[in-house]
Amino acid sequence: MPEQQQYIVVERDEPIAVVTINRPDKLNALNWGLVAELADQLEALDRDDAIRCIVLTGAGNKAFAAGADIAEMSNATPVQMATGSFQSWDRIRRIATPIIAAVGGYALGGGNELAMHADMIVASENAQFGQPEILIGVMPGAGGTQRLARTLGKFRAMEICLTARRVSAQEALDWGLVNRVVPEGQHVEEAKRLAQEVAKQAPVAVRFIKEAVLAAYETPLQDGLAYEKRLFALLFATEDQKEGMRAFLAKEKPTFQGR
Ligand code: CAA
Protein backbone atom coordinates (compact mmCIF):
# COMPACT_ATOMS: atom_id res chain seq x y z
CA MET A 1 0.00 0.00 0.00
CA PRO A 2 1.40 3.45 -0.88
CA GLU A 3 2.09 5.60 2.17
CA GLN A 4 0.72 9.11 1.69
CA GLN A 5 2.22 12.12 3.48
CA GLN A 6 1.07 15.69 2.91
CA TYR A 7 3.13 16.17 -0.26
CA ILE A 8 4.96 12.89 -0.79
CA VAL A 9 3.74 9.39 -1.60
CA VAL A 10 6.02 6.45 -0.89
CA GLU A 11 5.35 3.11 -2.51
CA ARG A 12 7.57 0.25 -1.37
CA ASP A 13 8.15 -2.62 -3.74
CA GLU A 14 11.17 -4.23 -2.12
CA PRO A 15 14.01 -4.04 -3.00
CA ILE A 16 13.01 -0.70 -4.55
CA ALA A 17 10.76 2.19 -3.53
CA VAL A 18 9.04 4.85 -5.60
CA VAL A 19 8.83 8.31 -4.07
CA THR A 20 6.34 10.64 -5.76
CA ILE A 21 6.08 14.39 -5.30
CA ASN A 22 2.35 14.81 -5.12
CA ARG A 23 1.32 18.39 -5.77
CA PRO A 24 0.21 18.16 -9.39
CA ASP A 25 -2.17 21.16 -9.26
CA LYS A 26 0.93 23.35 -8.71
CA LEU A 27 3.09 21.32 -11.10
CA ASN A 28 4.79 19.79 -8.04
CA ALA A 29 6.33 23.16 -7.07
CA LEU A 30 8.74 22.61 -4.22
CA ASN A 31 7.75 24.53 -1.10
CA TRP A 32 9.82 24.31 2.06
CA GLY A 33 7.51 21.82 3.78
CA LEU A 34 7.57 19.59 0.72
CA VAL A 35 11.36 19.52 0.48
CA ALA A 36 11.61 18.76 4.22
CA GLU A 37 9.09 15.94 3.87
CA LEU A 38 10.99 14.61 0.86
CA ALA A 39 14.24 14.62 2.85
CA ASP A 40 12.47 12.82 5.76
CA GLN A 41 11.11 10.12 3.48
CA LEU A 42 14.36 9.61 1.59
CA GLU A 43 16.28 9.34 4.86
CA ALA A 44 13.80 6.77 6.19
CA LEU A 45 14.27 4.68 3.03
CA ASP A 46 18.02 5.17 3.26
CA ARG A 47 18.01 3.62 6.76
CA ASP A 48 15.96 0.67 5.53
CA ASP A 49 18.13 -2.31 4.55
CA ALA A 50 15.33 -3.81 2.47
CA ILE A 51 15.42 -0.85 0.06
CA ARG A 52 18.36 -0.90 -2.34
CA CYS A 53 17.39 1.75 -4.89
CA ILE A 54 14.91 4.63 -4.97
CA VAL A 55 12.92 6.04 -7.90
CA LEU A 56 11.97 9.70 -7.50
CA THR A 57 9.22 11.15 -9.67
CA GLY A 58 6.44 13.72 -9.85
CA ALA A 59 2.69 13.11 -9.91
CA GLY A 60 0.74 13.88 -13.07
CA ASN A 61 1.99 13.95 -16.64
CA LYS A 62 2.89 17.65 -16.82
CA ALA A 63 5.79 18.03 -14.44
CA PHE A 64 8.50 16.34 -12.44
CA ALA A 65 8.67 19.66 -10.57
CA ALA A 66 8.31 23.22 -11.92
CA GLY A 67 10.76 24.64 -9.42
CA ALA A 68 10.78 26.19 -5.99
CA ASP A 69 7.42 27.61 -4.92
CA ILE A 70 7.41 31.17 -6.25
CA ALA A 71 4.35 32.15 -4.19
CA GLU A 72 6.11 31.13 -0.98
CA MET A 73 9.36 32.84 -1.96
CA SER A 74 8.00 36.08 -3.35
CA ASN A 75 8.02 37.99 -0.07
CA ALA A 76 10.65 35.98 1.78
CA THR A 77 13.53 37.68 3.56
CA PRO A 78 17.13 36.66 2.87
CA VAL A 79 17.17 34.95 6.28
CA GLN A 80 14.06 32.94 5.45
CA MET A 81 15.62 31.96 2.13
CA ALA A 82 18.85 30.94 3.82
CA THR A 83 17.05 28.79 6.37
CA GLY A 84 13.94 27.75 4.35
CA SER A 85 14.98 24.57 2.62
CA PHE A 86 18.74 24.49 2.20
CA GLN A 87 19.18 22.08 5.10
CA SER A 88 16.69 19.73 3.45
CA TRP A 89 18.51 19.92 0.11
CA ASP A 90 21.72 19.07 1.91
CA ARG A 91 20.04 16.07 3.54
CA ILE A 92 18.90 14.86 0.08
CA ARG A 93 22.45 15.27 -1.21
CA ARG A 94 23.69 12.90 1.50
CA ILE A 95 21.37 9.96 0.76
CA ALA A 96 23.63 6.92 0.29
CA THR A 97 21.10 4.71 -1.53
CA PRO A 98 21.15 5.27 -5.31
CA ILE A 99 18.31 7.49 -6.53
CA ILE A 100 16.93 7.42 -10.08
CA ALA A 101 14.89 10.44 -11.15
CA ALA A 102 12.01 9.62 -13.50
CA VAL A 103 11.24 12.89 -15.27
CA GLY A 104 8.07 13.52 -17.22
CA GLY A 105 7.21 17.06 -18.33
CA TYR A 106 8.84 20.07 -16.70
CA ALA A 107 11.98 19.81 -14.60
CA LEU A 108 12.57 23.52 -14.11
CA GLY A 109 14.56 25.51 -11.59
CA GLY A 110 14.60 23.56 -8.34
CA GLY A 111 12.95 20.71 -10.29
CA ASN A 112 15.97 20.38 -12.54
CA GLU A 113 18.22 20.80 -9.53
CA LEU A 114 16.37 18.03 -7.71
CA ALA A 115 16.70 15.73 -10.75
CA MET A 116 20.43 16.47 -10.69
CA HIS A 117 20.58 15.37 -7.02
CA ALA A 118 19.68 11.90 -8.34
CA ASP A 119 22.31 9.44 -9.55
CA MET A 120 20.66 8.62 -12.86
CA ILE A 121 17.88 10.30 -14.82
CA VAL A 122 15.29 8.62 -17.02
CA ALA A 123 13.27 11.07 -19.12
CA SER A 124 9.98 10.81 -20.88
CA GLU A 125 9.96 12.21 -24.44
CA ASN A 126 7.97 15.21 -23.19
CA ALA A 127 10.54 16.14 -20.51
CA GLN A 128 11.93 19.68 -20.52
CA PHE A 129 14.85 20.74 -18.39
CA GLY A 130 15.78 24.30 -17.55
CA GLN A 131 16.78 26.96 -15.07
CA PRO A 132 14.30 29.82 -15.63
CA GLU A 133 15.15 31.74 -12.42
CA ILE A 134 16.67 34.56 -14.46
CA LEU A 135 13.18 35.34 -15.79
CA ILE A 136 12.01 36.16 -12.26
CA GLY A 137 15.05 38.15 -11.30
CA VAL A 138 17.02 35.53 -9.41
CA MET A 139 19.35 32.61 -10.12
CA PRO A 140 19.55 28.88 -9.40
CA GLY A 141 20.00 28.28 -5.68
CA ALA A 142 19.94 24.53 -5.16
CA GLY A 143 23.04 23.60 -7.11
CA GLY A 144 22.01 24.44 -10.68
CA THR A 145 25.03 26.53 -11.67
CA GLN A 146 27.47 24.06 -10.14
CA ARG A 147 25.99 20.76 -11.26
CA LEU A 148 25.19 21.99 -14.79
CA ALA A 149 28.72 23.34 -15.17
CA ARG A 150 30.19 20.05 -14.01
CA THR A 151 27.80 17.94 -16.08
CA LEU A 152 27.53 19.93 -19.33
CA GLY A 153 30.51 22.26 -19.18
CA LYS A 154 30.68 26.04 -18.86
CA PHE A 155 29.13 27.09 -22.16
CA ARG A 156 25.94 25.06 -22.05
CA ALA A 157 25.51 25.83 -18.34
CA MET A 158 25.84 29.55 -19.09
CA GLU A 159 23.27 29.43 -21.88
CA ILE A 160 20.76 27.50 -19.78
CA CYS A 161 21.09 29.78 -16.74
CA LEU A 162 21.54 33.11 -18.56
CA THR A 163 18.77 32.73 -21.13
CA ALA A 164 16.35 30.28 -19.43
CA ARG A 165 16.51 28.18 -22.60
CA ARG A 166 14.74 24.88 -22.08
CA VAL A 167 16.47 21.64 -23.01
CA SER A 168 14.36 18.88 -24.59
CA ALA A 169 14.62 15.26 -23.53
CA GLN A 170 16.52 14.37 -26.71
CA GLU A 171 18.96 17.26 -26.25
CA ALA A 172 19.43 16.30 -22.62
CA LEU A 173 20.30 12.79 -23.79
CA ASP A 174 22.73 14.09 -26.42
CA TRP A 175 24.34 16.40 -23.86
CA GLY A 176 24.72 13.73 -21.18
CA LEU A 177 22.22 15.18 -18.72
CA VAL A 178 19.98 12.10 -18.79
CA ASN A 179 20.68 8.37 -19.09
CA ARG A 180 17.83 7.47 -21.42
CA VAL A 181 14.68 8.77 -23.06
CA VAL A 182 11.56 6.64 -23.32
CA PRO A 183 8.16 7.15 -25.00
CA GLU A 184 5.90 9.60 -23.19
CA GLY A 185 4.50 8.25 -19.95
CA GLN A 186 6.86 5.28 -19.67
CA HIS A 187 9.54 7.00 -17.59
CA VAL A 188 8.51 5.58 -14.21
CA GLU A 189 8.31 2.01 -15.49
CA GLU A 190 11.72 2.36 -17.15
CA ALA A 191 13.22 3.93 -14.01
CA LYS A 192 11.80 1.03 -11.96
CA ARG A 193 13.43 -1.46 -14.33
CA LEU A 194 16.74 0.34 -13.96
CA ALA A 195 16.29 0.47 -10.17
CA GLN A 196 15.74 -3.31 -10.08
CA GLU A 197 19.00 -3.74 -12.00
CA VAL A 198 20.86 -1.70 -9.37
CA ALA A 199 18.99 -3.32 -6.49
CA LYS A 200 20.13 -6.82 -7.37
CA GLN A 201 23.82 -5.93 -7.15
CA ALA A 202 25.95 -6.40 -4.03
CA PRO A 203 24.58 -3.72 -1.66
CA VAL A 204 27.79 -2.60 0.04
CA ALA A 205 29.56 -2.29 -3.32
CA VAL A 206 26.60 -0.26 -4.63
CA ARG A 207 26.87 2.25 -1.78
CA PHE A 208 30.64 2.51 -2.13
CA ILE A 209 30.34 3.11 -5.87
CA LYS A 210 27.86 5.95 -5.32
CA GLU A 211 30.15 7.43 -2.69
CA ALA A 212 33.22 7.14 -4.91
CA VAL A 213 31.61 8.58 -8.05
CA LEU A 214 30.23 11.54 -6.08
CA ALA A 215 33.67 12.07 -4.53
CA ALA A 216 34.96 12.72 -8.06
CA TYR A 217 33.09 16.06 -7.89
CA GLU A 218 34.78 17.12 -4.70
CA THR A 219 38.36 15.87 -4.84
CA PRO A 220 41.47 16.27 -6.99
CA LEU A 221 42.07 13.14 -9.11
CA GLN A 222 44.90 11.88 -6.94
CA ASP A 223 42.77 12.02 -3.77
CA GLY A 224 39.81 10.47 -5.56
CA LEU A 225 41.95 7.60 -6.82
CA ALA A 226 43.33 6.98 -3.34
CA TYR A 227 39.80 7.06 -1.90
CA GLU A 228 38.56 4.60 -4.53
CA LYS A 229 41.47 2.27 -3.81
CA ARG A 230 40.64 2.23 -0.08
CA LEU A 231 36.95 1.51 -0.70
CA PHE A 232 37.87 -1.20 -3.21
CA ALA A 233 40.18 -2.90 -0.68
CA LEU A 234 37.54 -2.57 2.06
CA LEU A 235 35.06 -4.55 -0.05
CA PHE A 236 37.32 -7.57 0.47
CA ALA A 237 36.06 -7.54 4.07
CA THR A 238 32.53 -8.35 2.86
CA GLU A 239 30.94 -11.76 2.52
CA ASP A 240 29.46 -10.53 -0.77
CA GLN A 241 32.95 -10.25 -2.30
CA LYS A 242 33.64 -13.87 -1.34
CA GLU A 243 30.25 -14.96 -2.63
CA GLY A 244 30.49 -12.98 -5.89
CA MET A 245 33.88 -14.41 -6.79
CA ARG A 246 33.03 -17.92 -5.59
CA ALA A 247 29.86 -17.92 -7.72
CA PHE A 248 31.75 -16.65 -10.77
CA LEU A 249 34.32 -19.43 -10.50
CA ALA A 250 31.62 -22.05 -9.87
CA LYS A 251 29.61 -20.70 -12.84
CA GLU A 252 26.65 -19.99 -10.55
CA LYS A 253 24.53 -16.92 -9.75
CA PRO A 254 25.67 -15.13 -6.59
CA THR A 255 23.36 -14.52 -3.63
CA PHE A 256 24.28 -11.23 -2.02
CA GLN A 257 23.48 -10.53 1.64
CA GLY A 258 24.62 -6.95 1.98
CA ARG A 259 27.40 -7.74 4.43
N1 CAA B 1 5.87 27.97 -7.95
C1 CAA B 1 4.59 28.11 -7.56
N2 CAA B 1 3.53 27.77 -8.33
C2 CAA B 1 3.79 27.26 -9.55
C3 CAA B 1 5.10 27.10 -10.02
C4 CAA B 1 6.18 27.47 -9.15
N3 CAA B 1 7.47 27.32 -9.49
N4 CAA B 1 5.06 26.57 -11.28
C5 CAA B 1 3.76 26.43 -11.57
N5 CAA B 1 2.99 26.84 -10.53
C6 CAA B 1 1.52 26.85 -10.43
C7 CAA B 1 0.92 27.99 -11.22
O1 CAA B 1 0.96 29.18 -10.49
C8 CAA B 1 -0.48 27.47 -11.46
O2 CAA B 1 -1.22 27.63 -10.25
P1 CAA B 1 -2.77 28.15 -10.34
O3 CAA B 1 -3.47 27.10 -11.17
O4 CAA B 1 -3.20 28.17 -8.92
O5 CAA B 1 -2.72 29.47 -11.02
C9 CAA B 1 -0.27 25.96 -11.65
O6 CAA B 1 0.99 25.68 -11.04
C10 CAA B 1 -0.18 25.55 -13.10
O7 CAA B 1 0.81 26.33 -13.72
P2 CAA B 1 0.57 27.19 -15.05
O8 CAA B 1 -0.86 27.59 -15.15
O9 CAA B 1 1.59 28.27 -15.10
O10 CAA B 1 0.87 26.07 -16.15
P3 CAA B 1 1.36 26.31 -17.64
O11 CAA B 1 1.23 24.98 -18.31
O12 CAA B 1 0.68 27.46 -18.27
O13 CAA B 1 2.93 26.69 -17.53
C11 CAA B 1 5.18 26.47 -16.67
C12 CAA B 1 3.85 25.77 -17.03
C13 CAA B 1 5.84 26.99 -17.94
C14 CAA B 1 6.09 25.44 -16.01
C15 CAA B 1 4.90 27.66 -15.73
O14 CAA B 1 4.08 27.19 -14.67
C16 CAA B 1 6.14 28.25 -15.12
O15 CAA B 1 6.85 28.99 -15.80
N6 CAA B 1 6.39 27.97 -13.83
C17 CAA B 1 7.49 28.56 -13.09
C18 CAA B 1 8.81 27.94 -13.47
C19 CAA B 1 9.94 28.60 -12.71
O16 CAA B 1 10.19 29.77 -12.83
N7 CAA B 1 10.66 27.80 -11.89
C20 CAA B 1 11.78 28.29 -11.13
C21 CAA B 1 11.36 28.69 -9.76
S1 CAA B 1 12.67 29.45 -8.82
C22 CAA B 1 13.65 28.19 -8.27
O17 CAA B 1 13.40 27.05 -8.53
C23 CAA B 1 14.83 28.60 -7.39
C24 CAA B 1 15.78 27.51 -7.06
O18 CAA B 1 16.81 27.37 -7.70
C25 CAA B 1 15.59 26.60 -5.93
Side-chain angles (χ1 to χ4, degrees), residues 18-22 28 55-60 63-64 100-104 187-188:
V18 179
V19 174
T20 304
I21 302 166
N22 189 27
N28 301 319
V55 172
L56 173 62
T57 193
F64 174 74
I100 301 175
V103 176
H187 51 294
V188 177

Side-chain angles (χ1 to χ4, degrees), residues 9-124:
V9 180
V10 177
E11 201 173 350
R12 298 168 57 95
D13 179 14
E14 290 172 12
I16 71 168
V18 179
V19 174
T20 304
I21 302 166
N22 189 27
R23 208 189 170 205
D25 54 323
K26 296 288 180 190
L27 301 184
N28 301 319
L30 307 165
N31 63 32
W32 299 330
L34 186 158
V35 184
E37 204 177 292
L38 179 60
D40 289 345
Q41 295 307 312
L42 290 174
E43 281 180 347
L45 292 170
D46 203 24
R47 284 192 297 270
D48 187 334
D49 278 347
I51 300 299
R52 310 289 198 196
C53 191
I54 300 167
V55 172
L56 173 62
T57 193
N61 51 17
K62 278 196 72 178
F64 174 74
D69 189 321
I70 300 170
E72 183 180 61
M73 281 187 301
S74 60
N75 290 314
T77 64
V79 172
Q80 282 169 322
M81 285 313 296
T83 54
S85 67
F86 284 120
Q87 266 187 337
S88 308
W89 285 98
D90 210 43
R91 290 165 60 201
I92 295 169
R93 183 171 75 83
R94 291 173 194 283
I95 299 297
T97 308
I99 300 174
I100 301 175
V103 176
Y106 299 113
L108 300 178
N112 187 43
E113 291 169 307
L114 180 60
M116 289 194 293
H117 275 66
D119 304 300
M120 289 186 258
I121 303 178
V122 173
S124 175

Side-chain angles (χ1 to χ4, degrees), residues 2-258:
E3 192 189 322
Q4 168 110 40
Q5 312 285 322
Q6 187 179 1
Y7 298 113
I8 304 294
V9 180
V10 177
E11 201 173 350
R12 298 168 57 95
D13 179 14
E14 290 172 12
I16 71 168
V18 179
V19 174
T20 304
I21 302 166
N22 189 27
R23 208 189 170 205
D25 54 323
K26 296 288 180 190
L27 301 184
N28 301 319
L30 307 165
N31 63 32
W32 299 330
L34 186 158
V35 184
E37 204 177 292
L38 179 60
D40 289 345
Q41 295 307 312
L42 290 174
E43 281 180 347
L45 292 170
D46 203 24
R47 284 192 297 270
D48 187 334
D49 278 347
I51 300 299
R52 310 289 198 196
C53 191
I54 300 167
V55 172
L56 173 62
T57 193
N61 51 17
K62 278 196 72 178
F64 174 74
D69 189 321
I70 300 170
E72 183 180 61
M73 281 187 301
S74 60
N75 290 314
T77 64
V79 172
Q80 282 169 322
M81 285 313 296
T83 54
S85 67
F86 284 120
Q87 266 187 337
S88 308
W89 285 98
D90 210 43
R91 290 165 60 201
I92 295 169
R93 183 171 75 83
R94 291 173 194 283
I95 299 297
T97 308
I99 300 174
I100 301 175
V103 176
Y106 299 113
L108 300 178
N112 187 43
E113 291 169 307
L114 180 60
M116 289 194 293
H117 275 66
D119 304 300
M120 289 186 258
I121 303 178
V122 173
S124 175
E125 268 171 353
N126 74 334
Q128 292 189 46
F129 301 85
Q131 297 291 157
E133 291 89 345
I134 190 76
L135 302 177
I136 53 172
V138 290
M139 63 181 283
T145 59
Q146 302 306 297
R147 290 197 176 89
L148 281 175
R150 283 170 160 80
T151 308
L152 305 182
K154 169 182 157 184
F155 301 101
R156 284 174 172 154
M158 286 289 188
E159 184 179 346
I160 291 168
C161 296
L162 289 174
T163 70
R165 170 206 200 292
R166 287 193 204 145
V167 175
S168 70
Q170 187 56 48
E171 273 179 316
L173 183 67
D174 296 343
W175 291 5
L177 182 60
V178 307
N179 293 75
R180 56 191 72 172
V181 177
V182 294
E184 190 169 334
Q186 292 181 24
H187 51 294
V188 177
E189 279 316 305
E190 181 62 21
K192 282 162 88 170
R193 265 195 292 279
L194 192 53
Q196 292 285 1
E197 275 292 305
V198 175
K200 71 181 185 206
Q201 314 300 337
V204 183
V206 163
R207 287 191 167 221
F208 282 11
I209 288 169
K210 172 166 176 168
E211 204 176 317
V213 173
L214 290 180
Y217 285 93
E218 322 239 357
T219 47
L221 181 60
Q222 197 152 323
D223 296 349
L225 291 172
Y227 189 54
E228 181 194 82
K229 209 188 307 172
R230 283 198 295 275
L231 290 177
F232 175 71
L234 190 53
L235 284 174
F236 284 72
T238 64
E239 289 175 22
D240 287 348
Q241 174 267 327
K242 309 275 178 293
E243 166 64 6
M245 295 190 182
R246 180 207 63 77
F248 176 83
L249 295 172
K251 303 191 188 306
E252 291 171 10
K253 274 199 157 191
T255 307
F256 293 125
Q257 308 286 345

